[in-house]
Amino acid sequence: MTGPQPLKNLKVVEFTHMVMGPAVGAILASLGAEVVRVEPIGGDRTRRLIGSGAGYFPMYNRHKASICLDLKSADGLAVARDLASSADILIENYRPGAMDRLGLGYQALSATNERLIYCSEKGFLPGPYEERTALDEVAQMMGGLAYMTGPPGRPLRAGSSVIDVTGGMFGVIAILAAVEERHRTGRGQKVQSSLFETTIYLIGQHMAQLAVTGKPAAPMPARISAWAIYDVFETADDKPIFIGVVTDALWEKFCALFGLDDLWADESIRENTARVLARERIMPQIRTLVQTWKRDDLIAKLEGTGLPFAPIGRPEDMFDDPHLLASGGLEPVTLSDGSTTMLPSLPIEMNGARPSAEAVLPQAGADTRSVLSRLGYDAARIEALLASGAVEAEG
């Protein structure tokens, strides 16, 4: 890898599927950890999803090694235990109790590896709901995020797997906190994050709004905005743009920039709260103004002013975004079929550098032999395991 590798030499073994668990390993791998992804014989089914799931595997499984194990066999389980005994961190997001039934739960594995940090990514933290099956969308619906996203009476999930990914991020936070504590105690621990509680954390601002105002938060499309101008506007060439005027100083700048002398002359709306209350008479004039501009010309006008603005982008537009291309925001990835693309790198910078590197998405079992060899297995034992079907290697 190139770029910062602050987690180099940390060994991670990952028993995961779909998005939430793999997102934890993806972040750790991007930071330099050595991540071994355990897949079932034949490879993780997430590899073969279509439609909106087609991007899950390539996005969240870069920079990892792949080994295929039959966890229903004694030999496959023995390999899994050996991987865990030599790991610093284990990640799993199976159904509650599944790893315990396999003998791969925290109590069993920590008995032989007291330094193990065991991260469970679940639908719910321990409590009345913990045995329920949860998905990103289930959590968004239960936790109020879908209610807040859609218009009144029409709950709508967010436009990406925000709870899966954010839940994975909280898992990483817990892991890194446990690594720091292990520096002092010499012992690992079990950490958990979950979809439902992640959703609750994200809608906490709306819970606090009720506490402060005494009124329940309205869904975002029907909300009373905190600012008078904080909207998507149509332009002359039908390319919408978002503009926000979020301070009184920016209101003065906005009026001067676009020659809105009459609005600036109205001293009754110099303060933000007054402008919010006067939205119905202010907004038609602003919308008419913006519709006289082509989007690119408007962007050029707004650039460098400090006024928040954003062209309405689509995912496919990001491949050619000049900022991402110039800043290392995308990294080259070779997909399983041999084709190449650019995918988002970890959105952080450390010591002036991005933790970004070229990646090859591993074929299922591509690293089985090398992983077993690093565990100390000799060639004869590896071939015997392959012959028995307890493990599988690419080709």
Side-chain angles (χ1 to χ4, degrees), residues 164-183:
D164 276 323
V165 176
T166 309
M169 291 166 61
F170 281 128
V172 172
I173 291 169
I175 287 169
L176 296 182
V179 169
E180 175 58 27
E181 187 166 304
R182 190 176 69 179
H183 291 157

PDB file of all heavy atoms in Angstrom, residues 164-183:
ATOM      1  N   ASP A 164     -25.734   0.921   7.692  1.00  0.00           N
ATOM      2  CA  ASP A 164     -24.700  -0.108   7.606  1.00  0.00           C
ATOM      3  C   ASP A 164     -23.305   0.502   7.728  1.00  0.00           C
ATOM      4  O   ASP A 164     -22.464   0.034   8.497  1.00  0.00           O
ATOM      5  CB  ASP A 164     -24.791  -0.850   6.265  1.00  0.00           C
ATOM      6  CG  ASP A 164     -25.800  -1.983   6.272  1.00  0.00           C
ATOM      7  OD1 ASP A 164     -25.911  -2.661   7.299  1.00  0.00           O
ATOM      8  OD2 ASP A 164     -26.475  -2.181   5.261  1.00  0.00           O
ATOM      9  N   VAL A 165     -23.057   1.536   6.949  1.00  0.00           N
ATOM     10  CA  VAL A 165     -21.710   2.116   6.902  1.00  0.00           C
ATOM     11  C   VAL A 165     -21.394   2.870   8.191  1.00  0.00           C
ATOM     12  O   VAL A 165     -20.302   2.730   8.757  1.00  0.00           O
ATOM     13  CB  VAL A 165     -21.558   3.030   5.671  1.00  0.00           C
ATOM     14  CG1 VAL A 165     -20.194   3.701   5.667  1.00  0.00           C
ATOM     15  CG2 VAL A 165     -21.755   2.221   4.386  1.00  0.00           C
ATOM     16  N   THR A 166     -22.352   3.657   8.686  1.00  0.00           N
ATOM     17  CA  THR A 166     -22.108   4.387   9.928  1.00  0.00           C
ATOM     18  C   THR A 166     -21.980   3.428  11.103  1.00  0.00           C
ATOM     19  O   THR A 166     -21.144   3.624  11.997  1.00  0.00           O
ATOM     20  CB  THR A 166     -23.223   5.408  10.191  1.00  0.00           C
ATOM     21  OG1 THR A 166     -23.412   6.219   9.025  1.00  0.00           O
ATOM     22  CG2 THR A 166     -22.875   6.305  11.357  1.00  0.00           C
ATOM     23  N   GLY A 167     -22.782   2.372  11.110  1.00  0.00           N
ATOM     24  CA  GLY A 167     -22.629   1.345  12.140  1.00  0.00           C
ATOM     25  C   GLY A 167     -21.259   0.702  12.081  1.00  0.00           C
ATOM     26  O   GLY A 167     -20.648   0.393  13.112  1.00  0.00           O
ATOM     27  N   GLY A 168     -20.754   0.488  10.861  1.00  0.00           N
ATOM     28  CA  GLY A 168     -19.392  -0.018  10.709  1.00  0.00           C
ATOM     29  C   GLY A 168     -18.366   0.958  11.242  1.00  0.00           C
ATOM     30  O   GLY A 168     -17.384   0.574  11.890  1.00  0.00           O
ATOM     31  N   MET A 169     -18.592   2.246  11.001  1.00  0.00           N
ATOM     32  CA  MET A 169     -17.669   3.265  11.515  1.00  0.00           C
ATOM     33  C   MET A 169     -17.649   3.258  13.044  1.00  0.00           C
ATOM     34  O   MET A 169     -16.582   3.372  13.670  1.00  0.00           O
ATOM     35  CB  MET A 169     -18.074   4.635  10.986  1.00  0.00           C
ATOM     36  CG  MET A 169     -17.859   4.805   9.495  1.00  0.00           C
ATOM     37  SD  MET A 169     -18.706   6.250   8.819  1.00  0.00           S
ATOM     38  CE  MET A 169     -17.924   7.562   9.739  1.00  0.00           C
ATOM     39  N   PHE A 170     -18.825   3.124  13.666  1.00  0.00           N
ATOM     40  CA  PHE A 170     -18.859   3.042  15.123  1.00  0.00           C
ATOM     41  C   PHE A 170     -18.135   1.785  15.610  1.00  0.00           C
ATOM     42  O   PHE A 170     -17.489   1.806  16.672  1.00  0.00           O
ATOM     43  CB  PHE A 170     -20.299   3.076  15.630  1.00  0.00           C
ATOM     44  CG  PHE A 170     -20.908   4.446  15.656  1.00  0.00           C
ATOM     45  CD1 PHE A 170     -22.130   4.694  15.049  1.00  0.00           C
ATOM     46  CD2 PHE A 170     -20.271   5.493  16.294  1.00  0.00           C
ATOM     47  CE1 PHE A 170     -22.704   5.957  15.078  1.00  0.00           C
ATOM     48  CE2 PHE A 170     -20.824   6.768  16.327  1.00  0.00           C
ATOM     49  CZ  PHE A 170     -22.042   6.998  15.712  1.00  0.00           C
ATOM     50  N   GLY A 171     -18.224   0.708  14.827  1.00  0.00           N
ATOM     51  CA  GLY A 171     -17.458  -0.490  15.170  1.00  0.00           C
ATOM     52  C   GLY A 171     -15.968  -0.220  15.158  1.00  0.00           C
ATOM     53  O   GLY A 171     -15.230  -0.666  16.051  1.00  0.00           O
ATOM     54  N   VAL A 172     -15.505   0.521  14.161  1.00  0.00           N
ATOM     55  CA  VAL A 172     -14.085   0.875  14.085  1.00  0.00           C
ATOM     56  C   VAL A 172     -13.688   1.749  15.274  1.00  0.00           C
ATOM     57  O   VAL A 172     -12.625   1.560  15.876  1.00  0.00           O
ATOM     58  CB  VAL A 172     -13.769   1.592  12.753  1.00  0.00           C
ATOM     59  CG1 VAL A 172     -12.348   2.135  12.760  1.00  0.00           C
ATOM     60  CG2 VAL A 172     -13.960   0.639  11.583  1.00  0.00           C
ATOM     61  N   ILE A 173     -14.539   2.700  15.629  1.00  0.00           N
ATOM     62  CA  ILE A 173     -14.244   3.552  16.785  1.00  0.00           C
ATOM     63  C   ILE A 173     -14.072   2.697  18.035  1.00  0.00           C
ATOM     64  O   ILE A 173     -13.135   2.891  18.823  1.00  0.00           O
ATOM     65  CB  ILE A 173     -15.361   4.599  16.982  1.00  0.00           C
ATOM     66  CG1 ILE A 173     -15.341   5.613  15.838  1.00  0.00           C
ATOM     67  CG2 ILE A 173     -15.208   5.316  18.328  1.00  0.00           C
ATOM     68  CD1 ILE A 173     -16.560   6.521  15.802  1.00  0.00           C
ATOM     69  N   ALA A 174     -14.985   1.740  18.227  1.00  0.00           N
ATOM     70  CA  ALA A 174     -14.905   0.867  19.396  1.00  0.00           C
ATOM     71  C   ALA A 174     -13.635   0.012  19.364  1.00  0.00           C
ATOM     72  O   ALA A 174     -12.972  -0.180  20.397  1.00  0.00           O
ATOM     73  CB  ALA A 174     -16.142  -0.027  19.463  1.00  0.00           C
ATOM     74  N   ILE A 175     -13.288  -0.491  18.180  1.00  0.00           N
ATOM     75  CA  ILE A 175     -12.066  -1.298  18.040  1.00  0.00           C
ATOM     76  C   ILE A 175     -10.834  -0.481  18.405  1.00  0.00           C
ATOM     77  O   ILE A 175      -9.963  -0.931  19.175  1.00  0.00           O
ATOM     78  CB  ILE A 175     -11.945  -1.852  16.607  1.00  0.00           C
ATOM     79  CG1 ILE A 175     -12.955  -2.975  16.380  1.00  0.00           C
ATOM     80  CG2 ILE A 175     -10.525  -2.361  16.334  1.00  0.00           C
ATOM     81  CD1 ILE A 175     -13.090  -3.391  14.931  1.00  0.00           C
ATOM     82  N   LEU A 176     -10.731   0.720  17.861  1.00  0.00           N
ATOM     83  CA  LEU A 176      -9.544   1.539  18.122  1.00  0.00           C
ATOM     84  C   LEU A 176      -9.472   1.955  19.589  1.00  0.00           C
ATOM     85  O   LEU A 176      -8.375   2.038  20.167  1.00  0.00           O
ATOM     86  CB  LEU A 176      -9.545   2.753  17.206  1.00  0.00           C
ATOM     87  CG  LEU A 176      -9.439   2.444  15.706  1.00  0.00           C
ATOM     88  CD1 LEU A 176      -9.407   3.735  14.903  1.00  0.00           C
ATOM     89  CD2 LEU A 176      -8.216   1.593  15.391  1.00  0.00           C
ATOM     90  N   ALA A 177     -10.631   2.189  20.216  1.00  0.00           N
ATOM     91  CA  ALA A 177     -10.631   2.469  21.652  1.00  0.00           C
ATOM     92  C   ALA A 177     -10.146   1.252  22.430  1.00  0.00           C
ATOM     93  O   ALA A 177      -9.387   1.381  23.405  1.00  0.00           O
ATOM     94  CB  ALA A 177     -12.032   2.874  22.108  1.00  0.00           C
ATOM     95  N   ALA A 178     -10.567   0.060  21.991  1.00  0.00           N
ATOM     96  CA  ALA A 178     -10.130  -1.166  22.666  1.00  0.00           C
ATOM     97  C   ALA A 178      -8.640  -1.423  22.453  1.00  0.00           C
ATOM     98  O   ALA A 178      -7.954  -1.938  23.349  1.00  0.00           O
ATOM     99  CB  ALA A 178     -10.952  -2.351  22.167  1.00  0.00           C
ATOM    100  N   VAL A 179      -8.118  -1.076  21.268  1.00  0.00           N
ATOM    101  CA  VAL A 179      -6.669  -1.204  21.022  1.00  0.00           C
ATOM    102  C   VAL A 179      -5.904  -0.298  21.984  1.00  0.00           C
ATOM    103  O   VAL A 179      -4.892  -0.708  22.577  1.00  0.00           O
ATOM    104  CB  VAL A 179      -6.330  -0.853  19.557  1.00  0.00           C
ATOM    105  CG1 VAL A 179      -4.826  -0.719  19.363  1.00  0.00           C
ATOM    106  CG2 VAL A 179      -6.878  -1.926  18.607  1.00  0.00           C
ATOM    107  N   GLU A 180      -6.376   0.922  22.166  1.00  0.00           N
ATOM    108  CA  GLU A 180      -5.710   1.843  23.095  1.00  0.00           C
ATOM    109  C   GLU A 180      -5.761   1.310  24.519  1.00  0.00           C
ATOM    110  O   GLU A 180      -4.772   1.366  25.254  1.00  0.00           O
ATOM    111  CB  GLU A 180      -6.366   3.223  22.997  1.00  0.00           C
ATOM    112  CG  GLU A 180      -5.848   4.235  23.999  1.00  0.00           C
ATOM    113  CD  GLU A 180      -4.358   4.483  23.915  1.00  0.00           C
ATOM    114  OE1 GLU A 180      -3.768   4.304  22.826  1.00  0.00           O
ATOM    115  OE2 GLU A 180      -3.766   4.857  24.949  1.00  0.00           O
ATOM    116  N   GLU A 181      -6.918   0.784  24.910  1.00  0.00           N
ATOM    117  CA  GLU A 181      -7.015   0.234  26.269  1.00  0.00           C
ATOM    118  C   GLU A 181      -6.109  -0.981  26.430  1.00  0.00           C
ATOM    119  O   GLU A 181      -5.523  -1.195  27.500  1.00  0.00           O
ATOM    120  CB  GLU A 181      -8.467  -0.125  26.589  1.00  0.00           C
ATOM    121  CG  GLU A 181      -8.679  -0.540  28.036  1.00  0.00           C
ATOM    122  CD  GLU A 181     -10.136  -0.560  28.427  1.00  0.00           C
ATOM    123  OE1 GLU A 181     -10.804   0.476  28.270  1.00  0.00           O
ATOM    124  OE2 GLU A 181     -10.609  -1.613  28.904  1.00  0.00           O
ATOM    125  N   ARG A 182      -5.985  -1.782  25.375  1.00  0.00           N
ATOM    126  CA  ARG A 182      -5.105  -2.954  25.434  1.00  0.00           C
ATOM    127  C   ARG A 182      -3.657  -2.553  25.645  1.00  0.00           C
ATOM    128  O   ARG A 182      -2.876  -3.302  26.250  1.00  0.00           O
ATOM    129  CB  ARG A 182      -5.262  -3.779  24.156  1.00  0.00           C
ATOM    130  CG  ARG A 182      -4.578  -5.148  24.205  1.00  0.00           C
ATOM    131  CD  ARG A 182      -4.844  -5.955  22.955  1.00  0.00           C
ATOM    132  NE  ARG A 182      -4.190  -5.388  21.784  1.00  0.00           N
ATOM    133  CZ  ARG A 182      -4.245  -5.923  20.574  1.00  0.00           C
ATOM    134  NH1 ARG A 182      -4.953  -7.024  20.368  1.00  0.00           N
ATOM    135  NH2 ARG A 182      -3.624  -5.354  19.560  1.00  0.00           N
ATOM    136  N   HIS A 183      -3.261  -1.381  25.150  1.00  0.00           N
ATOM    137  CA  HIS A 183      -1.909  -0.892  25.396  1.00  0.00           C
ATOM    138  C   HIS A 183      -1.637  -0.767  26.892  1.00  0.00           C
ATOM    139  O   HIS A 183      -0.506  -0.944  27.339  1.00  0.00           O
ATOM    140  CB  HIS A 183      -1.693   0.473  24.729  1.00  0.00           C
ATOM    141  CG  HIS A 183      -1.659   0.415  23.232  1.00  0.00           C
ATOM    142  ND1 HIS A 183      -1.930   1.502  22.438  1.00  0.00           N
ATOM    143  CD2 HIS A 183      -1.386  -0.610  22.391  1.00  0.00           C
ATOM    144  CE1 HIS A 183      -1.832   1.157  21.164  1.00  0.00           C
ATOM    145  NE2 HIS A 183      -1.495  -0.121  21.106  1.00  0.00           N
TER     146      HIS A 183
END
